[in-house]
Amino acid sequence: MTDTLLASGSGANKKSTAEVIPKAILIPFILLTSCFALWGLANNMTDVLIAQFRKVFTLTDMQSGLVQTAFYGAYFVLALPAALFIQRYSYKAGVLLGLGMFASGALLFYPAAQAMEYMPFLMALFVLAGGLSILETSANPYIIAMGPQETATRRLNIAQAFNPVGSITGVLIGKFYILSQLNPATDVERAAMTSTELGVIQTGELHAVMTPYLFVAAVIVLVWLAIAFTKMPATKDAVIETGEDQSMRATFGRLLQKKHFVRGVIGQFFYIGAQIGCWSWTIRYVMTQVGGTEADASTYLLISIVTFSAFRFICVGLMKYVAPERLLAVLALVASLLVCVVMGVGGITGAYALVGISACMSLMFPTIFGLSLHGLGGDSKFGGSCLIMAILGGALLTAIMGQISDSIGIQASFVIPLIGFLYLIYFGLKGYKAD
């Protein structure tokens, strides 16, 4: 990426969409963009599962938070192997492998529902998310590398703008199909039931979880076939042209010397923890602060995702005139202030503030990703895998929020996203700069 990418109001920022996405790569770009929507769907169906499993299996906040630990833990475990696979084969091969595992994990929801136990669902989520880890490790840098480098961050933001389309679909499925089939019986009432009575209820609730994932698996197979039989653009690695040592040790040595990249990985860790934490605990927060059932509270999550989606398109437009890092810093500041409202005010005002945070988060992932890969050249594959590994923040920080919620309340748990957004103010103002 050239410095023009980072210059506010630069010629690169003002390029038309046709220049950002040349005609020669339009079909491959559209197919890859469908993958962004698919993992958005999976991510936000998972957010709904926290509330679903908490009720079905009578779990604590900490235990239900293990859904995200399994999901985003798989991102951490599989990202580096994905980079090695991509380096040996290609971005396209990585995308196909990721989609294959994604479909396999979705299909595992069938035996998990038959077992009627929590652990098989966590295992299915781990396999599914492992596929997403490989898919994201492949697709994000592929989008950057498949077109002009001076418009790479804008191109990635355009692709990521369709991620919320899947996210909205996931929340709609969760609200109107999965959560709507939750039996209204309370934890106390369930504890008083016979095993047969409880089993009948749980069977229906878990069937509501299983069915959407089987349909998702079918869609993934269709996308896999479309990409497999489409000629995708090849990309050249600067590392091959310059003769640099391609060993893992040498590559990570070079990456560690790029201080802006290291700071970007830290920023991505905090951002993903903040995003997943806010969305995962929206239903729980609204139920405690506003009232209503899980299905009622999921309306706020749906509005959050719609807001996130709308503002991502708005931010893509703003990037024609304002440098990405400046938008990042401003929105991180606004998000920090809104978190303070969530923590300190609560009630319906806090719920609205929680929705507002999603507007601020809309541009963060692709912008951090693009700024962090600036100047990495052929090391972008491994650099991209490190940024995907940083998604571990969604596993660890969401679980920590659950522990804080169990101990001193859901409002206090939002101190974790606050820390993340404060760091991103620094990254957007100074941390993104290459030393």
Side-chain angles (χ1 to χ4, degrees), residues 112-136:
Q114 302 308 306
M116 295 181 61
E117 294 181 3
Y118 188 38
M119 186 57 67
F121 280 104
L122 294 181
M123 294 173 64
L125 283 168
F126 187 88
V127 174
L128 184 153
L132 295 184
S133 176
I134 298 171
L135 186 58
E136 291 204 45

Side-chain angles (χ1 to χ4, degrees), residues 21-31:
I21 310 170
K23 186 176 180 180
I25 67 168
L26 181 59
I27 298 302
F29 180 85
I30 291 172
L31 288 174

